[in-house]
C-alpha cells in the first residue's frame, strides 16, 4: 500500500511546475558554471554556495506547501481502509523521490558528464551531489514534521523559514560569536565539534576538505582532517547526518500516528 | 683566463671581419697554453685522483665515461675537468666528492656527481668550492646528493645549465641544491633544481645574478636568502615547494619576471619577505600559492606590474612594513585579496586591478571612481581570530560580504586603493623587459 501511495504522490509532485523550474534552474546554473569557469574547483565552490542556500530553502517550502495544499486529501485517504503508517511513508517516499530526481537531473547529470571528461576533483564532485541530496532529505523530514505539527498554514511556513534561517545563518553567527568571545583559548577543536551539529556546516566542511582551499583553513582544517581521518570521526560524521535525517522523520511519524485530524 | 681562451676559440672559428679598434687574436699562432691529460677505464691513467695530482696548474683533464669511486678528491690548483660521454663520480653515500680549495680558475663540465654522503656535523657536498674564485660549473648532473653545489667564501663564479636532483628526504636529511655562503659576483643561470631542502640558498651574497632557473619540488624553500645585497633574480620559476620562497634581512634586491607558483600548503608562501628593504618586485607571476606575497617588517619595497592569481591570500602585509608601494598589479581570482593585522597603513596602494572591485567609472577614464577596499570584513575576522576560518564559503560569509556591499562603512579601510583600474592590465611585448637584464 505504501508503494501505491508513494507512486501516486510522486506522480502528482512530478507534475508540479515548481519542481520543473527547480530542476531547470539547477541544470542551467550548473551547465553555465561548467561553461564559463575554466577551473573545476571554482565551479564546485560556486555550486556549494548555491546548494547551501537554495536546496534547504526549496525543499522546506516545497514540502510545506504541498502537504498543506493536500491536507484535505490526506484526511480523505485516512478515512479509507489504509494504515496511517503506509499513508505516512507513502507521502515521505512520494515527496523524497521527485525532489532527489530533480537534483540528480539538474546537478547530477551535468556533473557526471563533466566527470566523464575530467577526472579532477571527482570525490569532491560526487560529495557535492550526495551532500545536496542529504540536505534535501534532512529538510524534507523537517518540513513534514513542521507541517503536521502546525494546523495553520502560515504558522507552518513561518516556522519552516525560521528553522531554515537558524541552520543557514543564525547557527553560524552564534558559532562566530563563540569564536570571538573565546579567542584567548585554543578553540579549534571545540569549533569543529560544534560544526558537526549543523548539517549545513558538516556538508560544507566535508566538501572543502576534499579541495585545495583546505590549506587556507590552517589548523582548523588539520583538526577536522585528523578527526575525519580515523574511523571514529568518519562514523561520527555519517551518524550526525543520518540522525539529522532520522530524527525529524521519526518525530513527524510519531506526530502523524497520534494526530487527531 | 681559460674561459676567455675557450670563448675566443669559438669566436675565431667564425672569423668575424676585423673592426676598427678591435684587437684580433689568432689562436692558431698562440702557443697551446693547457697541457691535457686523459682519464678512462682502459687508459694508462685510470685514476682521476692521480691525474689531479700529476696535472700541472692550468691543465685540462679529460675524463671519459665510466663510474669513478675515489672517495673525496681535493683540488688545490687551477684545473679544467671535462667529462666526455658522461663520467660518473660516486660518493657512495659516504663522502664529499669534489672539494676545490683556494683555487683561482676552476672549470668542471659534463660530469655526473652522485651520492654525496649525509653528515649531521658538516655540510658535505657533491661539489664544494671554498676560498676560490673564477670558477665555471656547467652542464653537469647532480643526483641524490646531500648538498649539491656548495660555494663557501668564493666569488666570481658561473653555475650554468646544471641539472640537480636531490633525494627528496626530510628537511634534516637533505641539503641545498645550490648553497652559497659569503660570496659575490656569482652567476647562476639555466639550472634545473629539484627535490633538495632549499633550491637556492644564499647567505652573505652580494651582486649576483640568478636568471632562468627552475627550482621545484623542494622539501622546504625554492629559494631562501638572507643578509644578501644587490642581487638580481629574473625569469626564474619557483614551483611546488614545501614552503615556497622566503627572503630575509636583505637590501637592494631585484626580483623581476619570476614565477612563484603552486606553493600550496598550510604554511606555504609564494614569496615571503621579512625585513627586506629597498627592493623591486616587478612583473612576477604569483599563481596558486597559499599566500601569494607576504610582507613583514619591510620598507620601501616596490611591487609593480605583478599578476597575483588564484592564491589563497593574494597579499598579506603586516603592520610593521612602511613605504611599500603596490601599483599596477593584477589581483585576480584569489580567495582573499588582501589581509593585514594593522590598524592603519603607511603604504601606497594605487592603480591596481582588483577583480573583487564592484565600483563604477562614470567619467570613463579607466579608473574606478570610488576607492577599493580589498580587505573584507570576513578576511579581517579571520586575521584576528584564525578559528573563524571554519566559516569559509558558508552562507554567513556570503551574508557578511553582501552586507558590506550595501554598507561600505563595514569594510576595514586598512588597505585602500583610491584609484583602482577598471580592467585587467595586459603588458605589451615591447614592454617585456626580458632583454634589459644587464648581461
Amino acid at each position: 500500500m505504501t508503494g501505491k501511495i508513494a507512486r501516486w504522490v510522486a506522480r502528482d509532485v512530478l507534475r508540479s511546475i515548481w519542481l520543473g523550474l527547480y530542476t531547470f534552474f539547477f541544470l542551467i546554473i550548473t551547465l553555465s558554471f561548467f561553461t564559463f569557469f575554466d577551473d573545476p574547483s571554482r565551479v564546485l565552490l560556486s555550486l556549494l554556495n548555491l546548494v547551501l542556500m537554495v536546496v534547504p530553502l526549496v525543499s522546506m517550502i516545497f514540502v510545506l506547501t504541498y502537504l498543506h495544499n493536500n491536507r484535505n486529501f490526506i484526511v480523505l485517504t485516512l478515512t479509507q481502509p489504509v494504515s496511517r503508517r503506509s499513508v505516512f511513508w507513502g507521502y515521505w517516499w512520494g515527496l523524497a523521490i521527485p525532489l532527489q530526481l530533480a537534483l540528480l537531473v539538474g546537478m547530477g547529470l551535468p556533473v557526471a558528464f563533466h566527470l566523464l571528461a575530467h577526472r579532477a576533483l571527482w570525490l569532491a564532485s560526487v560529495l557535492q551531489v550526495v551532500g545536496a541530496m542529504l540536505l534535501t532529505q534532512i529538510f524534507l523530514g523537517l518540513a513534514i514534521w513542521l507541517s503536521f505539527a502546525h494546523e495553520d498554514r502560515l504558522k507552518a511556513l513561518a516556522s519552516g523559514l525560521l528553522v531554515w534561517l537558524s541552520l543557514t545563518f543564525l547557527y553560524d553567527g552564534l558559532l562566530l560569536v563563540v569564536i570571538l568571545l573565546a579567542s584567548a583559548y585554543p578553540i579549534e577543536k571545540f569549533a569543529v565539534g560544534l560544526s558537526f551539529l549543523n548539517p549545513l556546516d558538516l556538508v560544507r566542511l566535508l566538501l572543502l576538505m576534499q579541495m585545495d582551499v583546505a590549506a587556507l583553513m590552517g589548523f582548523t582544517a588539520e583538526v577536522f582532517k585528523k578527526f575525519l581521518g580515523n574511523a571514529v570521526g568518519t562514523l561520527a560524521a555519517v551518524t550526525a547526518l543520518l540522525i539529522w535525517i532520522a530524527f525529524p522523520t521519526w518525530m513527524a511519524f510519531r506526530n502523524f500516528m497520534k494526530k487527531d485530524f | 683566463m681559460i674561459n676567455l681562451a675557450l670563448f675566443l676559440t669559438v669566436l675565431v672559428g667564425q672569423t668575424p671581419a676585423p673592426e676598427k679598434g678591435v684587437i684580433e687574436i689568432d689562436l692558431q699562432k698562440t702557443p697551446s697554453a693547457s697541457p691535457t691529460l686523459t682519464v678512462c677505464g682502459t687508459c694508462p691513467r685510470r685514476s682521476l685522483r692521480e691525474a689531479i695530482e700529476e696535472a700541472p696548474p692550468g691543465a685540462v683533464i679529460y675524463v671519459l665515461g665510466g663510474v669513478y669511486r675515489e672517495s673525496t678528491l681535493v683540488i688545490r690548483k687551477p684545473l679544467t675537468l671535462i667529462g666526455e660521454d658522461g663520467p660518473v663520480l660516486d660518493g657512495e653515500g659516504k663522502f664529499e666528492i669534489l672539494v676545490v680549495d683556494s683555487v683561482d680558475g676552476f672549470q668542471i663540465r659534463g660530469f655526473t656527481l652522485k651520492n654525496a654522503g649525509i653528515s649531521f656535523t658538516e655540510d658535505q657536498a657533491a661539489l664544494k668550492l671554498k676560498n676560490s674564485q673564477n670558477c665555471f660549473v656547467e652542464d653537469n648532473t647532480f643526483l641524490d646528493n646531500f648538498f649539491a653545489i656548495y660555494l663557501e667564501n668564493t666569488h666570481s663564479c658561473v653555475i650554468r645549465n646544471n641539472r640537480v636532483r636531490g633525494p627528496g628526504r626530510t628537511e634534516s636529511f637533505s641539503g641545498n641544491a645550490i648553497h652559497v655562503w659569503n660570496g659575490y659576483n656569482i652567476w647562476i643561470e639555466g639550472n634545473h633544481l629539484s627535490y633538495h631542502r632549499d633550491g637556492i640558498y644564499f647567505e652573505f651574497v652580494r651582486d649576483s645574478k640568478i636568471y632562468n632557473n627552475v627550482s621545484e619540488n623542494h622539501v622546504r624553500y625554492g629559494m631562501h636568502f638572507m643578509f644578501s645585497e644587490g642581487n638580481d633574480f629574473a625569469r626564474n620559476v619557483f614551483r611546488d615547494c614545501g614552503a615556497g620562497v622566503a627572503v630575509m634581512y636583505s637590501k637592494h634586491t631585484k626580483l623581476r619576471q619570476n614565477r612563484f607558483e603552486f606553493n600550496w600548503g598550510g604554511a606555504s608562501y609564494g614569496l615571503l619577505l621579512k625585513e627586506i628593504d629597498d627592493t623591486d618586485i616587478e612583473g612576477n607571476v604569483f599563481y596558486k600559492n597559499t599566500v601569494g606575497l607576504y610582507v613583514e617588517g619591510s620598507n620601501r619595497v616596490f611591487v609593480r606590474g605583478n599578476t597575483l592569481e588564484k592564491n589563497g591570500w593574494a597579499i598579506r602585509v603586516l603592520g610593521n612594513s612602511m613605504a611599500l608601494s603596490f601599483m599596477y598589479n593584477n589581483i585576480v581570482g584569489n580567495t582573499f585579496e588582501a589581509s593585514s593585522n594593522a590598524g592603519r597603513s603607511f603604504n601606497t596602494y594605487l592603480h591596481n586591478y582588483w577583480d573583487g572591485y564592484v565600483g563604477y567609472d562614470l567619467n570613463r577614464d579607466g579608473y574606478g571612481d570610488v576607492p577599493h577596499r580589498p580587505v573584507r570584513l570576513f578576511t579581517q575576522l579571520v586575521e584576528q581570530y584564525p578559528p573563524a576560518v571554519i566559516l569559509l564559503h558558508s552562507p554567513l560569509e556570503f551574508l557578511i560580504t553582501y552586507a558590506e556591499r550595501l554598507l561600505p562603512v563595514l569594510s576595514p579601510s586598512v588597505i585602500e586603493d583610491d584609484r583602482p583600474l577598471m580592467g585587467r592590465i595586459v603588458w605589451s611585448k615591447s614592454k617585456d623587459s626580458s632583454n634589459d637584464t644587464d648581461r
Side-chain angles (χ1 to χ4, degrees):
Chain A
M1 205 59 214
T2 308
K4 208 169 196 178
I5 296 173
R7 223 174 305 139
W8 190 88
V9 174
R11 206 173 296 150
D12 189 38
V13 170
L14 280 171
R15 250 183 267 142
S16 150
I17 183 141
W18 295 109
L19 193 80
L21 282 178
Y22 177 59
T23 315
F24 192 64
F25 168 77
F26 264 113
L27 198 64
I28 291 293
I29 290 280
T30 316
L31 281 175
S32 56
F33 279 179
F34 275 123
T35 318
F36 293 123
F37 299 157
D38 50 341
D39 186 359
S41 70
R42 206 170 151 205
V43 175
L44 286 184
L45 288 177
S46 311
L47 261 184
L48 176 70
N49 283 343
L50 204 73
V51 162
L52 290 178
M53 303 265 254
V54 172
V55 166
L57 184 64
V58 168
S59 311
M60 179 71 93
I61 301 297
F62 185 85
V63 173
L64 277 174
T65 39
Y66 182 82
L67 286 179
H68 273 276
N69 287 342
N70 290 277
R71 174 57 67 93
N72 292 336
F73 188 77
I74 295 171
V75 175
L76 184 72
T77 322
L78 288 175
T79 60
Q80 306 299 313
V82 252
S83 71
R84 279 201 172 202
R85 188 183 294 267
S86 49
V87 172
F88 178 84
W89 289 114
Y91 271 86
W92 197 85
W93 284 110
L95 281 161
I97 289 166
L99 278 170
Q100 301 291 18
L101 269 180
L103 270 184
L104 277 178
V105 173
M107 199 166 65
L109 272 186
V111 168
F113 271 119
H114 186 77
L115 278 182
L116 285 181
H118 309 272
R119 278 296 161 79
L121 288 172
W122 68 270
L123 187 59
S125 309
V126 171
L127 258 176
Q128 175 84 265
V129 179
V130 172
M133 291 172 73
L134 284 169
L135 288 178
T136 303
Q137 210 57 41
I138 288 167
F139 280 84
L140 174 112
L142 285 168
I144 296 180
W145 179 18
L146 288 173
S147 165
F148 293 135
H150 295 283
E151 211 49 54
D152 182 10
R153 179 199 177 100
L154 261 175
K155 257 189 195 161
L157 269 178
S159 54
L161 279 176
L162 202 68
V163 168
W164 174 76
L165 265 179
S166 314
L167 288 175
T168 312
F169 298 111
L170 269 180
Y171 187 87
D172 284 352
L174 287 177
L175 184 61
L176 186 61
V177 170
V178 169
I179 288 169
L180 300 197
L181 288 180
S183 62
Y185 304 93
I187 187 97
E188 280 89 353
K189 281 183 188 171
F190 185 61
V192 166
L194 283 182
S195 72
F196 267 68
L197 300 182
N198 183 343
L200 288 160
D201 282 338
L202 190 51
V203 165
R204 174 171 58 85
L205 288 174
L206 281 173
L207 182 66
L208 290 187
M209 288 308 123
Q210 302 304 322
M211 304 181 64
D212 285 347
V213 280
L216 307 185
M217 301 176 70
F219 186 56
T220 308
E222 289 309 311
V223 170
F224 195 86
K225 273 185 177 166
K226 204 176 164 197
F227 186 59
L228 269 189
N230 62 41
V232 180
T234 317
L235 206 69
V238 174
T239 316
L241 286 170
L242 287 183
I243 286 178
W244 268 104
I245 295 173
F247 180 70
T249 306
W250 180 67
M251 288 303 283
F253 181 67
R254 224 180 51 160
N255 204 318
F256 186 80
M257 295 301 275
K258 281 195 206 147
K259 191 172 170 66
D260 180 17
F261 281 96
Chain B
M1 276 322 289
I2 300 163
N3 291 350
L4 186 66
L6 274 167
F7 185 56
L8 283 175
T9 323
V10 174
L11 271 189
V12 170
Q14 297 171 349
T15 54
E19 285 173 42
K20 233 188 223 175
V22 174
I23 304 162
E24 205 183 338
I25 304 171
D26 188 350
L27 283 190
Q28 305 296 323
K29 291 177 187 166
T30 57
S32 169
S34 320
T36 58
L37 294 83
T38 306
V39 179
C40 72
T42 51
C43 305
R45 202 180 278 103
R46 271 184 254 172
S47 156
L48 180 55
R49 179 183 301 280
E50 280 168 22
I52 290 169
E53 273 164 20
E54 281 171 33
V60 179
I61 301 178
Y62 287 91
V63 181
L64 307 187
V67 180
Y68 299 83
R69 293 189 182 86
E70 306 196 30
S71 67
T72 306
L73 299 164
V74 182
I75 296 172
R76 293 203 161 84
K77 56 196 158 198
L79 280 181
T80 297
L81 301 183
I82 296 179
E84 293 192 342
D85 303 326
V88 176
L89 306 187
D90 192 343
E92 299 169 69
K94 286 181 277 191
F95 309 107
E96 286 201 90
I97 301 172
L98 273 177
V99 177
V100 179
D101 193 357
S102 312
V103 170
D104 180 355
F106 171 76
Q107 275 195 61
I108 179 167
R109 69 163 61 110
F111 280 85
T112 295
L113 284 79
K114 65 176 193 183
N115 298 332
I118 297 177
S119 164
F120 297 117
T121 49
E122 54 183 312
D123 294 344
Q124 298 214 108
L127 171 61
K128 183 180 277 182
L129 295 135
K130 52 185 181 186
N131 312 318
S132 299
Q133 53 185 308
N134 297 325
C135 51
F136 204 88
V137 181
E138 192 180 39
D139 296 326
N140 301 290
T141 303
F142 295 81
L143 288 174
D144 298 337
N145 299 296
F146 186 47
F147 283 80
I149 305 173
Y150 192 106
L151 275 63
E152 177 184 324
N153 203 16
T154 289
H155 66 85
S156 306
C157 277
V158 176
I159 299 171
R160 197 157 72 187
N161 297 344
N162 298 286
R163 203 170 74 82
V164 183
R165 193 188 156 98
R169 287 185 286 251
T170 56
E171 244 175 63
S172 50
F173 283 84
S174 56
N176 306 322
I178 297 180
H179 180 109
V180 186
W181 179 83
N182 195 12
Y184 58 90
N185 195 20
I186 316 276
W187 193 308
I188 298 176
E189 187 178 9
N191 301 288
H192 187 278
L193 318 167
S194 58
Y195 297 103
H196 269 275
R197 182 176 61 194
D198 295 347
I200 300 172
Y201 179 100
F202 279 6
E203 206 172 337
F204 309 109
V205 176
R206 287 167 290 127
D207 304 320
S208 295
K209 318 266 184 225
I210 299 87
Y211 297 152
N212 295 324
N213 300 287
V214 176
S215 181
E216 60 187 359
N217 301 110
H218 296 290
V219 179
R220 195 172 63 180
Y221 298 118
M223 171 169 71
H224 187 37
F225 70 76
M226 288 162 291
F227 315 111
S228 296
E229 272 187 45
N231 299 308
D232 185 1
F233 298 83
R235 301 184 303 279
N236 302 289
V237 179
F238 302 103
R239 185 189 292 144
D240 208 356
C241 297
V245 170
V247 299
M248 304 170 181
Y249 317 111
S250 299
K251 290 177 186 171
H252 304 292
T253 305
K254 283 180 179 159
L255 289 151
R256 293 176 300 176
Q257 297 185 315
N258 303 288
R259 286 187 72 90
F260 303 89
E261 55 189 19
F262 304 110
N263 298 297
W264 194 269
S268 292
Y269 299 88
L271 177 60
L272 178 147
L273 307 177
K274 184 178 165 64
E275 305 199 23
I276 295 287
D277 296 342
D278 303 293
T279 285
D280 291 344
I281 299 175
E282 280 184 17
N284 302 286
V285 175
F286 300 82
Y287 185 76
K288 284 208 173 177
N289 305 287
T290 307
V291 180
L293 179 63
Y294 174 92
V295 187
E296 178 183 336
S298 300
N299 304 311
R300 299 174 301 282
V301 176
F302 293 84
V303 186
R304 290 196 187 157
N306 301 285
T307 295
L308 299 107
E309 192 167 351
K310 292 186 180 170
N311 302 288
W313 283 264
I315 53 168
R316 191 147 172 248
V317 182
L318 298 200
N320 51 4
S321 300
M322 277 177 74
L324 179 81
S325 157
F326 191 80
M327 294 170 77
Y328 296 107
N329 301 291
N330 283 324
I331 299 96
V332 185
N334 304 284
T335 306
F336 301 113
E337 287 186 325
S339 160
S340 175
N341 67 346
R344 55 187 289 205
S345 156
F346 299 93
N347 305 313
T348 311
Y349 302 88
L350 210 57
H351 303 334
N352 299 289
Y353 171 65
W354 311 85
D355 73 342
Y357 182 55
V358 287
Y360 43 83
D361 176 21
L362 287 183
N363 56 359
R364 303 238 160 219
D365 62 351
Y367 296 101
D369 296 346
V370 289
H372 178 55
R373 291 173 176 167
V375 182
R376 290 185 288 132
L377 188 58
F378 183 69
T379 321
Q380 189 79 350
L381 278 173
V382 170
E383 179 74 39
Q384 283 173 16
Y385 309 98
V389 80
I390 199 168
L391 298 174
L392 188 69
H393 290 292
S394 70
L396 187 70
E397 188 208 338
F398 182 82
L399 193 71
I400 292 174
T401 308
Y402 192 69
E404 274 179 276
R405 239 171 244 182
L406 297 178
L407 298 167
V409 70
L410 288 174
S411 289
S413 59
V414 49
I415 293 179
E416 202 167 57
D417 189 333
D418 283 331
R419 304 266 290 151
L421 287 166
M422 292 304 289
R424 185 169 178 162
I425 312 163
V426 180
W427 289 278
S428 59
K429 268 281 176 243
S430 61
K431 275 204 159 181
D432 188 328
S433 52
S434 60
N435 295 321
D436 63 40
T437 40
D438 9 306
R439 295 189 155 239

